[in-house]
């Protein structure tokens, strides 16, 4: 199809030449239009009014079965061939194509509506020296646009100027990466001077050369040429579409990429048509069935030739050949006649039923109240209706971290001050009590500047601070002074903090609530309100954080002239620099740190040091000389920092919780019991991801080893991977075993599979992004795959969106396992689309992942219900449906085969023509739909109680080629009974009055009645869960059969439509005979009893996990919901090296004289008139605002 589209693109001149470099000029539309760059409109729809019918039909005819049915319809139009009327195929074919077309049209109409809503948003564009309102779709590359606070970024822009000092702009990138903390972008100084001057901006004619459109969210390369000078451009100078402007009154940007060329849309990529493994198997089986059908028709044609030669001449007297016809021609035509008669081996109603079943199971997901999140009014949604059963076969889950496993909200949880632990509650007996929503909160009303949303439960800490404890007050004084947070006070007491990292904002907010309020800063001072008193400290130096130091310090002088150094950082780093007198306190603090780490908290150690005045003056002089040195500046500064940061006095430790979403550890535990492997692919740094791994119970202290791969060359990575593999499995061969096999349609596709190596014990693997880049190279990827698959848990840190997709594709290619990817941002889209199933987390983190997903919901914990309940049920129902459907249709068809030996291979049908038409559409349609929509082996609580029930789906246990052959053999036996028992019973039978009833019509009625009874009794055996709907469908279908039969075989129908209803009186004459009903009973017993016996033997001797659990269900009461109890206290020696996620360089920024210039008054941070859902919630998500947890729902 791609080649066809490409051909028409060249034919009509619409195929676009690949862009190698983008070149544009500001304020020059005529010049930029010569390059035919994409405008700013987006198009996610597939059809329009003119293309819908031909394109949709073309897509549907790519399904092999639909082409087959069209061919069959043509055959039925040929009188010499067809023994069935044309409507037996035309009606169901039209129905199938029509239903699918209507569904596709409805989906595309929604896409058109969404596109129209986005394209018609308005933005201010600088045109002809004035700012004019333009629709987004009319914005062109090279235009200069004006954005204001809380507005979405219209296109990918080069930031020119802003209202903020240093030309800074604060943006929220939740739509792109799911992170709600603010990020900073900064314009070039040369463009920042343009300011808000319309004349200067209109005269701006800078030229930009940059990379072509791509999907790399974290990189941008280009140059700006202006007034003969060239300036380098990077990602910090660019505002991407999908971001939201925050805390910025106004800014101007130059459009670089628009519409489909923006990084947001490039990440969305083209929609991939996903098909389930059962769909792929069905294609192969349908091809096999075609071959089987051709072989049966060939046998029939040969039989017809033999019969014509031996017996046919006897009939020529009263059935002469038509002119020109011969025995050979008769044999040839009989082949095609049997193609029509036996076509029910692949009935078209199969595909109608599959679509209905999938749609029904999708509605069950949409309607599930236990997957509804009331806080954001977000229900679960099945956005794709064709993948339900694939949810029951997942083997690997690839998850993002931020916004998916975590809420991206940091809370000050516990602390250790002077050897005393704070933050826990105990009862009268000294037992630890779990903190819940109902626990009494600390009252901070005594502090007028406290954050009302801050939550803490240990009253003793407030009492200690207010009681004047010098250590406690020094602890919070340190938190109020040692940071890079920027304050903003819009109204008196209305204080907001702008923090580069949410955990740093949490610590400053904690100090604020306990009486040490960081109020303002200048480049030389920090103003703090300490227990109600305003105190201004002189800021002498900021010793900034970097990845090597893993600590941050400030040197300040209080109004009394006392000078102190305050330092916070990783425990291992701080402990090395403590005074020897702190040894005893360090041991107690270490014990507390181990407890915090066991709870998965992010820890920091706090220390201080009083400085001698003369020493400080000397140190400041040397620090100034080092800071202006041209050579070796960094090394000189590091030496000075090491010199002053020693002999520190320990104050204690803080513990910040990177709040997980509710139920994440329990969900991961349940999925692990279901033998599902979970890999975390995150852009966060290693220590942060490692912390979350422990919090989620993915990484555990009990693991034999956790390997960290951080090599900087191919050889280093290879050596680290091989060392890990040899430790886990010393006997494994050095080179991976690669099993190759044939698969796919016509077995033209070659599949490769790397088998798992057996490992004793549990291991974990953590790999960094730069090491992953080497590991994904062609000669190393199999080594990575082997090592990673030996581990129970795999965490990939600092990975790009492309690497996320590559990891998913690696598993898909070499493991032949079903994969699921779950994320919440645009950086997860490529992973979501690469996996077999894509799940988007909807809610406050952005909607880009949801728009590209197959299923969506608001909380990660709903994933276990989606897989263990809906997924498993959908898989079981689809497998039961296919087994039963093939059984009933092969049985139906094989009876024709046996009848051919008694009708001279003439292609005469054994059943009434109307029965053939209605068999799959009416008589057997609803009962099997009832089975496929409502059946369940056990209910949802038992499904959670025994996650192992999920394992058979991963192994394709319930439907495979082997099961299909078993269905054929069962049908073959049933068809023998269904034909020969009625034939033997009727061949010499007479009525009570002596009249012969062994005519064709009576036999046809008996055969079809026996068939319908047997397949319905077989359905009863297959049904585990009976509902009123099932009962109504089953007995209603049987009643409909008899009602329709008596009506069609009545005198009235014969008189009105003589040729259409020839079976006059057959029903009433046959079904009033006792021997007919005895024959029906005998047939049912002969078909059903062997099935019951075989199933009984297998359940007694070789029971499956389902059999065992269903037996347990009958013996025991329904399991109660798992009671909520406090998690056991874990002790861990592993701690976060440094909790902060902010970048180096903010120390210089906050001490710059420009960043703290008097700001203009500006509008509120979030206005009510905004499209952003974020703007309608808390103003700052990085603050320690702890929302009340929703009441625990049963999963």
């Amino acid at each position: 199809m791609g080649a066809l589209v490409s051909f028409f693109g060249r034919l009509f001149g619409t195929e676009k030449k690949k862009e190698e470099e983008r070149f544009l000029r500001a304020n020059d539309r005529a010049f930029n239009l010569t390059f035919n760059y994409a405008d700013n409109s987006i198009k996610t729809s597939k059809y329009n009014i003119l293309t819908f019918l031909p394109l949709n039909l073309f897509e549907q005819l790519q399904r092999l079965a639909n082409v087959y049915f069209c061919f069959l319809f043509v055959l039925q139009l040929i009188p010499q061939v067809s023994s069935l009327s044309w409507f037996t195929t035309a009606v169901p074919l039209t129905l199938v194509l029509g239903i699918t077309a209507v569904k596709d049209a409805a989906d595309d109409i929604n896409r058109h509506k969404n596109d129209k809503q986005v394209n018609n948003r308005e933005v201010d564009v600088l045109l002809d020296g004035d700012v004019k309102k333009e629709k987004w779709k009319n914005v062109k590359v090279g235009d200069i646009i004006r954005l204001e606070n809380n507005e979405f970024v219209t296109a990918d822009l080069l930031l020119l100027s802003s209202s903020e000092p240093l030309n800074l702009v604060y943006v929220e990138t939740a739509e792109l990466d799911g992170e709600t903390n603010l990020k900073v972008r900064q314009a070039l100084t040369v463009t920042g001077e343009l300011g808000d001057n319309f004349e200067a901006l209109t005269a701006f004619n800078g030229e930009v050369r940059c990379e072509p459109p791509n999907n790399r969210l974290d990189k941008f390369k280009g140059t700006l040429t202006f007034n003969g000078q060239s300036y380098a451009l990077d990602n910090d100078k660019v505002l991407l579409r999908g971001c939201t402007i925050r805390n910025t009154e106004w800014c101007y940007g130059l459009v670089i990429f628009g519409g489909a060329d923006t990084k947001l849309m490039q990440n969305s990529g083209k929609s991939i048509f996903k098909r389930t493994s059962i769909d792929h198997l069905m294609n192969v089986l349908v091809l096999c069935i075609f071959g089987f059908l051709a072989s049966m028709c060939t046998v029939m044609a040969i039989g017809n030739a033999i019969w014509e030669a031996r017996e046919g001449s006897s009939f020529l007297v009263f059935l002469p050949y038509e002119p020109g016809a011969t025995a050979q021609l008769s044999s040839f035509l009989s082949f095609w006649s049997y193609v029509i008669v036996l076509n029910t081996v692949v009935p078209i109603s199969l595909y109608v039923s599959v679509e209905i079943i999938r749609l029904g199971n999708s509605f069950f997901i949409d309607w599930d109240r236990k997957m509804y999140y009331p806080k954001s009014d977000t229900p679960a949604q099945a956005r794709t209706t064709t993948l339900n059963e694939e949810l029951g076969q997942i083997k690997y889950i690839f998850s993002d971290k931020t916004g998916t496993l975590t809420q991206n909200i940091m809370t000050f949880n516990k602390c250790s001050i002077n050897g005393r632990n704070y933050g826990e509650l105990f009862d009268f007996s000294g037992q630890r009590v779990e903190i819940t929503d109902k626990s009494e909160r600390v009252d901070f009303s005594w502090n007028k500047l406290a954050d009302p949303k801050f939550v803490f439960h240990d009253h003793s800490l407030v009492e200690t601070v207010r009681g004047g404890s010098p250590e406690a007050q020094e602890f919070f004084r340190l938190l109020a002074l040692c940071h890079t947070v920027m304050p903003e006070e819009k109204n008196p007491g209305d204080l907001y903090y702008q923090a580069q990292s949410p955990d740093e904002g949490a610590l400053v907010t904690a100090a604020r609530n306990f009486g040490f309020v960081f109020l303002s800063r200048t480049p030389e001072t920090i103003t703090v309100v300490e227990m109600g008193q305003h105190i201004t400290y002189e800021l002498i130096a900021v010793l900034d954080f970097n990845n090597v130091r893993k600590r941050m310090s400030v040197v300040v002088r209080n109004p009394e002239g006392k000078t102190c150094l305050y330092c916070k950082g990783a425990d291992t780093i701080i402990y090395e620099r403590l005074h020897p007198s702190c040894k005893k306190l360090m041991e107690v603090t270490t014990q507390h740190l181990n407890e915090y780490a066991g709870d998965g908290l992010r820890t920091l150690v706090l220390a201080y040091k009083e400085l001698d005045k003369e020493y400080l003056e000397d140190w400041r002089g040397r620090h100034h000389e080092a800071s202006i040195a041209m050579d070796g500046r960094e090394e000189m500064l590091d030496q000075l920092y090491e010199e002053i940061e020693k002999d520190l006095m320990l104050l204690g430790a803080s513990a910040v919780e990177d709040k997980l979403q509710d139920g994440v550890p329990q969900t991961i535990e349940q999925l692990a019991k279901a033998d599902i492997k979970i890999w975390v692919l995150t852009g966060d740094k290693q220590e942060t991801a490692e912390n979350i791994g422990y919090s989620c119970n993915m990484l555990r202290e009990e693991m034999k080893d956790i390997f960290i791969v951080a090599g900087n060359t191919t050889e280093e990575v290879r050596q680290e991977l091989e060392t890990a593999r040899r430790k886990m499995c010393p006997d494994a061969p050095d080179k991976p075993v690669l099993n190759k096999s044939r698969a796919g349609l016509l077995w033209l596709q070659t599949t490769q599979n790397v088998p798992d190596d057996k490992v004793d014990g549990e291991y974990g693997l953590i790999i960094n992004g730069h090491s992953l880049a080497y590991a994904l190279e062609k000669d190393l990827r199999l080594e990575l795959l082997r090592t990673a698959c030996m581990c129970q848990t795999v965490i990939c840190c600092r990975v790009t969106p492309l690497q996320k997709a590559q990891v998913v594709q690696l598993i898909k290619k070499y493991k032949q396992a079903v994969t699921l990817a779950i994320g919440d941002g645009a950086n997860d889209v490529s992973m979501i689309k690469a996996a077999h199933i894509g799940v988007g987390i909807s809610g406050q983190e952005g909607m880009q992942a949801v728009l590209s997903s197959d299923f969506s919901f608001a909380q990660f914990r709903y994933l276990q219900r989606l897989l263990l309940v809906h997924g498993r049920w959908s898989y079981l129902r689809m497998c039961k449906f296919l087994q039963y459907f093939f059984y009933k249709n092969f049985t139906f068809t094989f009876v024709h085969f046996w009848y051919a030996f008694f009708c001279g291979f003439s292609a005469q049908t054994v059943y009434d023509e109307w029965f053939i038409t209605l068999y799959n559409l009416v008589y057997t349609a609803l009962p099997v739909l009832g089975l496929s929509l409502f059946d369940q082996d056990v209910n949802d609580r038992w499904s959670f109680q025994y996650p192992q029930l999920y394992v058979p789906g991963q192994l394709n246990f319930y439907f495979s080629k082997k099961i299909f052959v078993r269905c054929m053999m069962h049908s073959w036996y049933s068809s023998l009974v269904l034909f020969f028992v009625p034939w033997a019973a009727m061949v010499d039978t007479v009525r009570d009055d002596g009249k012969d009833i062994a005519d064709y019509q009576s036999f046809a009625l008996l055969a079809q009645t026996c068939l319908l009874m047997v397949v319905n009794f077989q359905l009863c055996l297959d049904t585990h869960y009976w509902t009123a709907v099932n009962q109504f469908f089953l007995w209603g279908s049987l009643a409909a059969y008899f009602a329709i039969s008596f009506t069609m075989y009545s005198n009235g129908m014969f008189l009105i439509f003589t040729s259409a209803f020839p079976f006059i009186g057959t029903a009433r004459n046959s079904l009033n005979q006792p021997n007919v009903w005895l024959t029906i009973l005998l047939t049912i017993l002969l078909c059903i009893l062997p099935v019951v016996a075989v199933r009984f033997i297998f359940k007694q001797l070789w029971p499956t996990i389902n059999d065992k659990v269903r037996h347990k269900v009958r013996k025991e009461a329904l399991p109660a919901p798992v009671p909520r109890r406090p998690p056991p206290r874990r002790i861990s020696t592993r701690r976060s090296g440094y909790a902060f996620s902010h970048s180096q360089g903010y120390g210089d920024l906050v001490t710059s004289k420009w960043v703290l210039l008097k700001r203009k008054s500006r509008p509120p941070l979030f206005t009510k008139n905004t499209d952003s859902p974020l703007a309608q919630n808390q103003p700052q998500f990085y603050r320690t605002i702890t929302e009340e947890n929703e009441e625990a729902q049963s999963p």
Side-chain angles (χ1 to χ4, degrees), residues 297-315 321 326-332 334 900-901 903-906:
C297 294
T298 302
V299 170
M300 298 294 100
I302 294 171
N304 179 267
I306 296 172
W307 188 88
E308 287 287 351
R310 293 184 177 180
E311 306 289 340
S313 57
S314 305
F315 295 85
Y321 288 126
T326 62
Q328 291 78 11
L329 179 61
S330 173
S331 175
F332 174 76
S334 71
F901 292 91
C903 69
F905 305 96
S906 61

Side-chain angles (χ1 to χ4, degrees), residues 932-989:
S932 309
L933 289 174
F934 302 110
D935 197 51
Q936 47 184 262
D937 52 349
V938 294
N939 63 25
D940 54 349
R941 284 196 189 174
W942 285 104
S943 297
F944 286 128
Q945 188 83 0
Y946 293 95
Q948 300 85 353
L949 287 168
Y950 190 83
V951 175
Q954 299 168 335
L955 305 174
N956 292 314
F957 188 77
Y958 295 117
F959 191 73
S960 60
K961 294 172 187 174
K962 182 179 178 181
I963 299 291
F964 174 73
V965 172
R966 192 182 300 166
C967 285
M968 287 185 63
M969 298 301 294
H970 185 195
S971 299
W972 177 79
Y973 167 76
S974 296
S975 66
L976 280 173
V977 174
L978 284 167
F979 177 78
F980 285 103
V981 170
W983 173 80
M986 296 285 288
V987 66
D988 293 321
T989 304

